[in-house]
Amino acid sequence: MNEKIGIIVDSTTIIPEEVKDKFIFGVVPLHVMVNGKNRPEPEIEDQEIVDRLENCKDLKSSSPSVGEFEKEYLRLFDLGVMDILVLPLSKENSTTYNVGKMAIDLLPEDKKNHVSVLNTLINNYGISNVLIALSYWADKDISFVEFTQKAETYLHDSHLGFTILDLKHLFRGGRLSRLSCALGLLFKIKPIIEMIDGKLVLTKKERTAPNIINYFIKQIAVFSTK
């Protein structure tokens, strides 16, 4: 384990099991507000979120607080970590990045320059894959500056794309009009969503699973040659 470098992610990112023993990790929670009640996202079961998405109109999320970031920074420093790399979800999708930067100002002067918060431009599984790539350097003689540069390179070279079962959640999130949603459901259109410049963008619509698979195969071929 690299005990000098700590890595903090937010609760939207799953830390892969194979890297948990490579670095000292920290997690700051996003919050979910259901019918006016604020709860940390890790305390809510996945099925409850699914049920809420289907049945609840008053469902919102919010970023971690400055205090939660400060607490996690200090916890990792108390564990002996020398430097901390923070990989929150994209700045374009959440204020989590900005809050993480703000929390640095609350740290003692000798710690402020030992925390680096990156704008990842990706979310969730994209960041999880970057953690796997970074684990290669866990036992290497590498400075924190070099380590951060590696992370920036991996993030820059990453591309995240996925599909969902239907258009209902895009409509509920305000990304799709009522008419487009109705037509999409009628013709069983499945959206393809990609992260472009840190934003979630509806880039394509397909009707069959083979077409979706072929699209992603072509995308993989394109990015593998870059």
Side-chain angles (χ1 to χ4, degrees), residues 49-85:
I49 290 291
V50 172
D51 293 340
R52 294 290 186 180
L53 285 171
E54 294 293 338
N55 304 309
C56 181
K57 295 181 179 180
D58 186 13
L59 181 65
K60 300 177 182 179
S61 63
S62 61
S63 66
S65 68
V66 173
E68 287 169 323
F69 263 106
E70 179 195 16
K71 181 179 178 180
E72 201 63 5
Y73 291 160
L74 294 175
R75 186 182 74 83
L76 264 61
F77 282 130
D78 286 345
L79 290 174
V81 164
M82 301 297 294
D83 298 282
I84 299 173
L85 179 65

Short mmCIF file of all heavy atoms in Angstrom, two decimals, residues 49-85:
data_model
loop_
_atom_site.label_atom_id
_atom_site.label_comp_id
_atom_site.label_asym_id
_atom_site.label_seq_id
_atom_site.Cartn_x
_atom_site.Cartn_y
_atom_site.Cartn_z
N ILE A 49 -33.77 3.96 -3.99
CA ILE A 49 -33.57 5.01 -5.00
C ILE A 49 -34.39 4.71 -6.24
O ILE A 49 -35.07 5.58 -6.80
CB ILE A 49 -32.09 5.14 -5.37
CG1 ILE A 49 -31.29 5.73 -4.20
CG2 ILE A 49 -31.92 6.01 -6.61
CD1 ILE A 49 -31.61 7.18 -3.91
N VAL A 50 -34.36 3.44 -6.68
CA VAL A 50 -35.13 3.05 -7.86
C VAL A 50 -36.62 3.30 -7.63
O VAL A 50 -37.32 3.85 -8.49
CB VAL A 50 -34.88 1.57 -8.21
CG1 VAL A 50 -35.81 1.10 -9.31
CG2 VAL A 50 -33.43 1.36 -8.64
N ASP A 51 -37.10 2.89 -6.45
CA ASP A 51 -38.52 3.08 -6.14
C ASP A 51 -38.87 4.56 -6.10
O ASP A 51 -39.95 4.97 -6.57
CB ASP A 51 -38.86 2.43 -4.80
CG ASP A 51 -38.74 0.91 -4.84
OD1 ASP A 51 -38.78 0.36 -5.96
OD2 ASP A 51 -38.61 0.30 -3.77
N ARG A 52 -37.99 5.37 -5.54
CA ARG A 52 -38.24 6.80 -5.45
C ARG A 52 -38.28 7.44 -6.84
O ARG A 52 -39.10 8.32 -7.12
CB ARG A 52 -37.16 7.48 -4.61
CG ARG A 52 -37.17 7.07 -3.15
CD ARG A 52 -38.37 7.62 -2.41
NE ARG A 52 -38.29 7.35 -0.98
CZ ARG A 52 -39.21 7.71 -0.11
NH1 ARG A 52 -40.29 8.35 -0.51
NH2 ARG A 52 -39.07 7.43 1.18
N LEU A 53 -37.38 7.01 -7.71
CA LEU A 53 -37.36 7.54 -9.07
C LEU A 53 -38.67 7.26 -9.80
O LEU A 53 -39.15 8.07 -10.60
CB LEU A 53 -36.19 6.94 -9.86
CG LEU A 53 -34.80 7.47 -9.53
CD1 LEU A 53 -33.73 6.63 -10.22
CD2 LEU A 53 -34.66 8.93 -9.96
N GLU A 54 -39.25 6.11 -9.49
CA GLU A 54 -40.50 5.73 -10.16
C GLU A 54 -41.71 6.45 -9.59
O GLU A 54 -42.66 6.75 -10.32
CB GLU A 54 -40.70 4.21 -10.03
CG GLU A 54 -39.66 3.37 -10.77
CD GLU A 54 -39.77 3.51 -12.28
OE1 GLU A 54 -40.84 3.90 -12.77
OE2 GLU A 54 -38.76 3.25 -12.97
N ASN A 55 -41.68 6.76 -8.28
CA ASN A 55 -42.91 7.20 -7.62
C ASN A 55 -42.86 8.59 -6.98
O ASN A 55 -43.92 9.12 -6.64
CB ASN A 55 -43.29 6.18 -6.53
CG ASN A 55 -43.43 4.78 -7.09
OD1 ASN A 55 -44.13 4.57 -8.07
ND2 ASN A 55 -42.77 3.81 -6.48
N CYS A 56 -41.69 9.14 -6.82
CA CYS A 56 -41.59 10.39 -6.08
C CYS A 56 -41.27 11.56 -7.00
O CYS A 56 -40.33 11.51 -7.79
CB CYS A 56 -40.50 10.28 -5.00
SG CYS A 56 -40.32 11.76 -4.01
N LYS A 57 -42.06 12.62 -6.90
CA LYS A 57 -41.82 13.80 -7.71
C LYS A 57 -40.79 14.72 -7.05
O LYS A 57 -40.08 15.45 -7.73
CB LYS A 57 -43.13 14.56 -7.93
CG LYS A 57 -44.16 13.79 -8.76
CD LYS A 57 -45.41 14.61 -8.97
CE LYS A 57 -46.42 13.86 -9.81
NZ LYS A 57 -47.66 14.66 -10.02
N ASP A 58 -40.73 14.70 -5.73
CA ASP A 58 -39.84 15.60 -4.99
C ASP A 58 -38.57 14.85 -4.59
O ASP A 58 -38.39 14.44 -3.45
CB ASP A 58 -40.56 16.14 -3.75
CG ASP A 58 -39.73 17.19 -3.03
OD1 ASP A 58 -38.75 17.66 -3.62
OD2 ASP A 58 -40.07 17.53 -1.88
N LEU A 59 -37.68 14.66 -5.57
CA LEU A 59 -36.43 13.94 -5.34
C LEU A 59 -35.28 14.78 -5.89
O LEU A 59 -35.23 15.05 -7.08
CB LEU A 59 -36.47 12.58 -6.02
CG LEU A 59 -35.22 11.69 -5.86
CD1 LEU A 59 -35.05 11.29 -4.39
CD2 LEU A 59 -35.34 10.44 -6.72
N LYS A 60 -34.40 15.21 -5.00
CA LYS A 60 -33.29 16.06 -5.41
C LYS A 60 -31.99 15.57 -4.78
O LYS A 60 -32.01 14.82 -3.81
CB LYS A 60 -33.55 17.51 -4.97
CG LYS A 60 -34.82 18.12 -5.55
CD LYS A 60 -35.04 19.51 -5.00
CE LYS A 60 -36.33 20.12 -5.53
NZ LYS A 60 -36.58 21.48 -4.98
N SER A 61 -30.89 15.99 -5.36
CA SER A 61 -29.59 15.64 -4.80
C SER A 61 -28.79 16.90 -4.56
O SER A 61 -29.03 17.94 -5.17
CB SER A 61 -28.83 14.70 -5.74
OG SER A 61 -28.56 15.33 -6.97
N SER A 62 -27.81 16.81 -3.66
CA SER A 62 -26.95 17.94 -3.37
C SER A 62 -25.54 17.45 -3.08
O SER A 62 -25.33 16.28 -2.73
CB SER A 62 -27.48 18.76 -2.18
OG SER A 62 -27.52 17.95 -1.02
N SER A 63 -24.59 18.34 -3.23
CA SER A 63 -23.19 17.98 -3.07
C SER A 63 -22.83 17.83 -1.59
O SER A 63 -23.58 18.24 -0.70
CB SER A 63 -22.30 19.05 -3.70
OG SER A 63 -22.44 20.27 -2.99
N PRO A 64 -21.66 17.25 -1.30
CA PRO A 64 -21.19 17.20 0.09
C PRO A 64 -20.97 18.63 0.61
O PRO A 64 -20.82 19.58 -0.17
CB PRO A 64 -19.85 16.45 -0.02
CG PRO A 64 -19.93 15.70 -1.31
CD PRO A 64 -20.75 16.55 -2.22
N SER A 65 -20.93 18.77 1.90
CA SER A 65 -20.70 20.09 2.49
C SER A 65 -19.20 20.35 2.60
O SER A 65 -18.37 19.44 2.54
CB SER A 65 -21.33 20.16 3.88
OG SER A 65 -20.64 19.30 4.78
N VAL A 66 -18.85 21.63 2.79
CA VAL A 66 -17.45 22.01 3.00
C VAL A 66 -16.90 21.29 4.24
O VAL A 66 -15.77 20.80 4.25
CB VAL A 66 -17.33 23.54 3.15
CG1 VAL A 66 -15.90 23.93 3.53
CG2 VAL A 66 -17.72 24.24 1.86
N GLY A 67 -17.72 21.22 5.29
CA GLY A 67 -17.28 20.57 6.52
C GLY A 67 -16.99 19.09 6.33
O GLY A 67 -16.08 18.55 6.96
N GLU A 68 -17.78 18.42 5.49
CA GLU A 68 -17.55 17.00 5.24
C GLU A 68 -16.23 16.78 4.51
O GLU A 68 -15.51 15.81 4.79
CB GLU A 68 -18.72 16.41 4.46
CG GLU A 68 -19.97 16.24 5.30
CD GLU A 68 -21.21 15.92 4.48
OE1 GLU A 68 -21.36 16.46 3.37
OE2 GLU A 68 -22.05 15.13 4.98
N PHE A 69 -15.91 17.66 3.58
CA PHE A 69 -14.62 17.57 2.91
C PHE A 69 -13.47 17.83 3.89
O PHE A 69 -12.49 17.09 3.93
CB PHE A 69 -14.53 18.58 1.76
CG PHE A 69 -14.86 18.00 0.41
CD1 PHE A 69 -16.06 18.30 -0.20
CD2 PHE A 69 -13.96 17.17 -0.26
CE1 PHE A 69 -16.38 17.78 -1.45
CE2 PHE A 69 -14.27 16.65 -1.50
CZ PHE A 69 -15.46 16.96 -2.11
N GLU A 70 -13.61 18.90 4.68
CA GLU A 70 -12.56 19.22 5.65
C GLU A 70 -12.32 18.05 6.60
O GLU A 70 -11.16 17.68 6.88
CB GLU A 70 -12.96 20.45 6.45
CG GLU A 70 -11.94 20.83 7.51
CD GLU A 70 -12.47 21.83 8.53
OE1 GLU A 70 -13.71 21.99 8.61
OE2 GLU A 70 -11.66 22.41 9.28
N LYS A 71 -13.39 17.45 7.09
CA LYS A 71 -13.28 16.32 8.02
C LYS A 71 -12.53 15.16 7.38
O LYS A 71 -11.67 14.52 8.02
CB LYS A 71 -14.67 15.86 8.45
CG LYS A 71 -14.67 14.70 9.44
CD LYS A 71 -16.10 14.33 9.82
CE LYS A 71 -16.12 13.15 10.78
NZ LYS A 71 -17.53 12.78 11.16
N GLU A 72 -12.80 14.89 6.10
CA GLU A 72 -12.15 13.76 5.43
C GLU A 72 -10.68 14.08 5.13
O GLU A 72 -9.82 13.21 5.24
CB GLU A 72 -12.90 13.40 4.14
CG GLU A 72 -12.65 12.00 3.63
CD GLU A 72 -13.11 10.91 4.59
OE1 GLU A 72 -13.72 11.22 5.64
OE2 GLU A 72 -12.84 9.73 4.30
N TYR A 73 -10.39 15.32 4.78
CA TYR A 73 -8.99 15.73 4.60
C TYR A 73 -8.19 15.49 5.87
O TYR A 73 -7.11 14.88 5.86
CB TYR A 73 -8.89 17.21 4.23
CG TYR A 73 -9.41 17.60 2.87
CD1 TYR A 73 -9.76 18.92 2.60
CD2 TYR A 73 -9.56 16.67 1.85
CE1 TYR A 73 -10.24 19.30 1.35
CE2 TYR A 73 -10.03 17.02 0.60
CZ TYR A 73 -10.38 18.35 0.36
OH TYR A 73 -10.85 18.73 -0.87
N LEU A 74 -8.73 15.98 6.99
CA LEU A 74 -8.02 15.87 8.26
C LEU A 74 -7.89 14.41 8.70
O LEU A 74 -6.87 14.01 9.28
CB LEU A 74 -8.74 16.68 9.34
CG LEU A 74 -8.74 18.20 9.12
CD1 LEU A 74 -9.59 18.89 10.18
CD2 LEU A 74 -7.31 18.75 9.15
N ARG A 75 -8.91 13.60 8.42
CA ARG A 75 -8.84 12.18 8.79
C ARG A 75 -7.69 11.49 8.07
O ARG A 75 -6.93 10.73 8.68
CB ARG A 75 -10.16 11.48 8.44
CG ARG A 75 -10.23 10.03 8.92
CD ARG A 75 -11.53 9.36 8.50
NE ARG A 75 -11.55 9.05 7.07
CZ ARG A 75 -10.98 7.95 6.53
NH1 ARG A 75 -10.36 7.06 7.31
NH2 ARG A 75 -11.05 7.74 5.25
N LEU A 76 -7.54 11.76 6.78
CA LEU A 76 -6.47 11.13 6.02
C LEU A 76 -5.10 11.64 6.47
O LEU A 76 -4.15 10.86 6.58
CB LEU A 76 -6.66 11.36 4.52
CG LEU A 76 -7.36 10.21 3.77
CD1 LEU A 76 -8.76 9.98 4.32
CD2 LEU A 76 -7.42 10.49 2.27
N PHE A 77 -4.99 12.95 6.73
CA PHE A 77 -3.72 13.47 7.23
C PHE A 77 -3.37 12.86 8.58
O PHE A 77 -2.21 12.55 8.85
CB PHE A 77 -3.78 15.01 7.34
CG PHE A 77 -3.63 15.72 6.03
CD1 PHE A 77 -4.54 16.71 5.66
CD2 PHE A 77 -2.59 15.41 5.16
CE1 PHE A 77 -4.39 17.39 4.46
CE2 PHE A 77 -2.44 16.08 3.94
CZ PHE A 77 -3.35 17.06 3.59
N ASP A 78 -4.36 12.65 9.44
CA ASP A 78 -4.12 12.03 10.75
C ASP A 78 -3.65 10.59 10.60
O ASP A 78 -2.96 10.06 11.49
CB ASP A 78 -5.40 12.07 11.60
CG ASP A 78 -5.71 13.46 12.13
OD1 ASP A 78 -4.82 14.32 12.10
OD2 ASP A 78 -6.85 13.68 12.57
N LEU A 79 -4.02 9.94 9.49
CA LEU A 79 -3.57 8.57 9.23
C LEU A 79 -2.14 8.52 8.71
O LEU A 79 -1.59 7.43 8.51
CB LEU A 79 -4.51 7.89 8.23
CG LEU A 79 -5.93 7.56 8.74
CD1 LEU A 79 -6.79 7.03 7.60
CD2 LEU A 79 -5.86 6.54 9.87
N GLY A 80 -1.54 9.68 8.49
CA GLY A 80 -0.16 9.73 8.05
C GLY A 80 0.04 10.03 6.58
O GLY A 80 1.18 10.06 6.10
N VAL A 81 -1.06 10.27 5.86
CA VAL A 81 -0.96 10.60 4.45
C VAL A 81 -0.25 11.94 4.28
O VAL A 81 -0.48 12.88 5.04
CB VAL A 81 -2.38 10.67 3.83
CG1 VAL A 81 -2.37 11.38 2.49
CG2 VAL A 81 -2.95 9.28 3.68
N MET A 82 0.63 12.03 3.28
CA MET A 82 1.36 13.26 3.03
C MET A 82 0.63 14.17 2.03
O MET A 82 0.65 15.39 2.15
CB MET A 82 2.75 12.94 2.48
CG MET A 82 3.60 12.09 3.41
SD MET A 82 3.95 12.92 4.99
CE MET A 82 4.97 14.27 4.42
N ASP A 83 0.00 13.55 1.03
CA ASP A 83 -0.68 14.30 -0.02
C ASP A 83 -2.01 13.63 -0.35
O ASP A 83 -2.13 12.39 -0.26
CB ASP A 83 0.17 14.37 -1.29
CG ASP A 83 1.49 15.10 -1.06
OD1 ASP A 83 1.47 16.34 -1.02
OD2 ASP A 83 2.52 14.41 -0.90
N ILE A 84 -2.98 14.44 -0.80
CA ILE A 84 -4.32 13.92 -1.09
C ILE A 84 -4.75 14.35 -2.49
O ILE A 84 -4.71 15.54 -2.82
CB ILE A 84 -5.35 14.43 -0.06
CG1 ILE A 84 -4.99 13.95 1.35
CG2 ILE A 84 -6.76 13.95 -0.44
CD1 ILE A 84 -5.87 14.56 2.44
N LEU A 85 -5.17 13.37 -3.28
CA LEU A 85 -5.74 13.63 -4.60
C LEU A 85 -7.24 13.43 -4.51
O LEU A 85 -7.72 12.39 -4.05
CB LEU A 85 -5.15 12.67 -5.63
CG LEU A 85 -5.66 12.81 -7.07
CD1 LEU A 85 -5.27 14.17 -7.65
CD2 LEU A 85 -5.12 11.69 -7.95
#
